[in-house]
Amino acid sequence: MKRKTIIAANWKMNGNLALVKEMSQQLNALQISDNVEVIVCPSFPYLSSLSDSITHGQLYLGAQNANEHDKGAYTGEVSTDMLKELSVKYVVLGHSERRALYKETSTLVAHKVKTVLEAGLTPILCIGESEIERVSEQTETVLASQLQPVLDELGIEAFEKIIVAYEPVWAIGTGKTASPEMAQATHHFIRAFLAQVNESVAAKVPLLYGGSVNASNSNELFAQADIDGGLIGGASLKVDEFITICSTAKGLN
Ligand code: PGA
C-alpha cells in the first residue's frame, strides 16, 4: 500500500514573524521528493502571514487546535470556519500537551475531530503513552483508549480522512527518541487495531511519528514500514534542520 510521506511542523507557542518569513522562503525554494507533503502548524496569529507566503505546491498550512463548536460565546477560542478563511487544511488535535495541561479528554478530542472533519479539514489526531504507561506495559491499552472514542463517535470511515500521529509523551521535547524498531512496533499495533474494524481503511491511514525527531534520526524512522512521516516540534523551529528533514525525506512511490 503506497501512502504519502507527511512532514508536519508543530511550532507550539514558539516562533515569530521573522521565522515565518525565513521558513516560508526556504521551503518555497525547496526540492521536495514527489509524494512528500510538508505541513507547517504555527500559532494562530501567524497563520495569515504564513498563508500569504506559501507558494510551493507541496506545502500546506495547519493549525494547532480548533474549538469543537462552530461559533458562539467561547472567548479565546478559534473555530474551523476561521481557520478555513486562512487556507488552513490540517488541524492538530489531542496533542499530549493539550491533554495534560488543558485537560482535554479523549471524548472531547473525538468531538473536535468531528467538527474538523465536518468543516472539510483534516485532523492530525495525536495519541501517545506516558513513560509510566510504557514501563508498566500499558502502551497498547492507552492508545486503544485514545482511538476508541473517535471510532465510537465517527466510525472507521472517518479514518479515511484522518492522519494519526503517534507521539510517546516521554519522547516529546526530551531528546529521547523511540528507537525505529520500537516506533515501528507501536505504529504496527495502531494499524492492526484499526484493521480489526476495517483492513482497507487501516492500510491507508497515514501514521506519523513524533517525539524528538531531528535531521539525524528522521530518515531511519520514516523508513519503517508503518511510519509515514513525522510531527516535528523543536527541530521544526530551526530552519536549516527542518529544511534538511524535508529535503531528504523520500516519498514511498
Ligand atoms: P518534539 O515535539 O519534536 O520537540 O519532541 C514533537 C511534538 O510535540 O509534536
Side-chain angles (χ1 to χ4, degrees):
M1 172 71 222
K2 303 270 192 259
R3 294 179 297 267
K4 279 184 188 152
T5 297
I6 297 168
I7 316 285
N10 174 13
W11 285 5
K12 312 190 180 187
M13 199 173 74
N14 297 300
N16 49 31
L17 284 174
L19 182 65
V20 168
K21 191 169 170 211
E22 203 190 337
M23 189 66 86
S24 53
Q25 277 172 354
Q26 301 268 352
L27 284 172
N28 284 334
L30 202 62
Q31 291 278 358
I32 305 175
S33 166
D34 286 350
N35 214 24
V36 173
E37 268 183 20
V38 176
I39 304 167
V40 180
C41 309
S43 293
F44 293 130
Y46 299 122
L47 285 168
S48 180
S49 134
L50 194 57
S51 159
D52 291 343
S53 316
I54 287 176
T55 55
H56 197 302
Q58 287 160 262
L59 197 51
Y60 297 90
L61 199 56
Q64 296 174 18
N65 187 23
N67 192 268
E68 66 277 24
H69 302 286
D70 292 335
K71 61 178 177 178
Y74 302 103
T75 302
E77 292 293 297
V78 170
S79 76
T80 49
D81 278 351
M82 295 169 188
L83 298 176
K84 277 167 65 173
E85 281 200 310
L86 300 177
S87 308
V88 166
K89 297 271 182 275
Y90 296 89
V91 185
V92 174
L93 294 174
H95 189 281
S96 63
E97 286 149 17
R98 296 214 58 89
R99 291 176 189 265
L101 302 173
Y102 303 102
K103 309 293 173 236
E104 291 197 7
T105 62
S106 293
T107 307
L108 174 66
V109 173
H111 295 336
K112 290 188 173 201
V113 169
K114 181 166 187 273
T115 305
V116 164
L117 283 173
E118 282 173 356
L121 301 172
T122 302
I124 301 177
L125 169 63
C126 300
I127 58 174
E129 82 287 1
S130 67
E131 185 148 38
I132 290 178
E133 289 160 348
R134 166 68 64 175
V135 171
S136 59
E137 297 181 2
Q138 292 299 302
T139 299
E140 295 187 357
T141 313
V142 170
L143 298 179
S145 76
Q146 292 170 337
L147 289 168
Q148 194 62 48
V150 180
L151 284 169
D152 290 345
E153 181 154 349
L154 297 164
I156 188 69
E157 297 71 26
F159 281 84
E160 304 240 22
K161 296 188 179 136
I162 292 174
I163 296 171
V164 175
Y166 167 60
E167 299 203 302
V169 179
W170 47 271
I172 295 179
T174 58
K176 278 200 242 168
T177 320
S179 67
E181 296 73 26
M182 186 197 274
Q184 163 56 25
T186 312
H187 280 233
H188 181 73
F189 163 76
I190 295 166
R191 205 178 294 289
F193 179 78
L194 296 173
Q196 286 173 350
V197 192
N198 185 315
E199 262 183 54
S200 90
V201 173
K204 286 184 256 170
V205 180
L207 299 183
L208 312 187
Y209 170 78
S212 298
V213 175
N214 58 42
S216 319
N217 60 25
S218 58
N219 282 342
E220 209 186 340
L221 285 161
F222 302 167
Q224 305 303 308
D226 287 294
I227 301 184
D228 305 311
L231 181 56
I232 299 159
S236 74
L237 296 165
K238 300 175 195 149
V239 176
D240 290 349
E241 182 147 20
F242 190 61
I243 290 293
T244 304
I245 295 171
C246 296
S247 57
T248 58
K250 294 190 179 47
L252 295 173
N253 272 346

